[in-house]
Amino acid sequence: MPRVPAYDASGAPAGELELPEAVFGQVPHGPALHQATVAEMANRRAGTHSARTRGEVRGGGRKPWRQKGTGRARAGSRRSPLWTGGGITFGPKPRDYSQVQSRSLRRLALRSALSAQVRAGRVVVLDSPPAAAPRTKEVAAILNAMGLQRPLLIVAAEDDAVLARAAANLRDARVLSARRLAVQPVLASQAVVITKPALAVLQEALGS
């Protein structure tokens, strides 16, 4: 079983802890990691971009000048894409970029991401959540005592609004619940701090 450093609630070293092989000891699956990362990034796109075509821009009700005899190129409308202020040819329109991932793929990708971070020595376990009150100073002191590289990800057991608020002002720290964990935040972190209660949730969700 993989072993990772453990810390107490104050951020002091507390030995090592064995992690479940089924979740943290797998061989990372590259294609699953890639597909899940692309899907997660696509799902964050708003897709609200929009450009007006020549049929949507204002103006162009009359021909700018007569067809022949002016010495200038023929022009039928000021809304032409060739004109400044005209419509856009094949411009972007609102669309849905979201991708649907199967449950088995999401679980495989998360196991692969966590296992890859364990292999890189970037996963540690914290005895309990680092804040009983929404104080950024307390969370920063605990994380500084642990001496971890940044940016880092804190994985809590549930949606912890108190902890999230306490870490909100830390530019290089992010809080996610174990049930809302995603591949991209895990891989983008130089350190992953998992609370002991969150370990049980991850094992239940990804272990079987």
Side-chain angles (χ1 to χ4, degrees), residues 51-77:
R52 293 179 180 179
T53 66
R54 64 180 298 159
E56 296 170 333
V57 296
R58 186 177 180 182
R62 58 170 294 182
K63 189 175 175 66
W65 50 75
R66 67 180 189 267
Q67 182 81 346
K68 295 179 179 293
T70 66
R72 290 179 288 187
R74 294 171 290 184
S77 172

Side-chain angles (χ1 to χ4, degrees), residues 25-33 108-109 111-117 119 187:
Q26 302 298 303
V27 177
H29 194 281
L33 286 173
L108 174 60
R111 287 196 297 264
S112 297
L114 292 170
S115 299
Q117 292 292 58
R119 289 186 172 206
L187 295 180

Side-chain angles (χ1 to χ4, degrees), residues 154-177:
I154 303 173
V155 183
E158 303 295 340
D159 288 329
D160 194 332
V162 173
L163 179 57
R165 181 179 175 185
N169 290 331
L170 298 177
R171 183 179 57 183
D172 48 9
R174 182 178 181 183
V175 179
L176 288 177
S177 71

Side-chain angles (χ1 to χ4, degrees), residues 77-91:
S77 172
R78 296 180 183 276
R79 298 187 295 186
S80 168
L82 303 179
W83 285 52
T84 300
I88 302 298
T89 305
F90 304 125

Side-chain angles (χ1 to χ4, degrees), residues 29 50 65 120 136 140 193 200:
H29 194 281
S50 183
W65 50 75
T136 303
V193 181

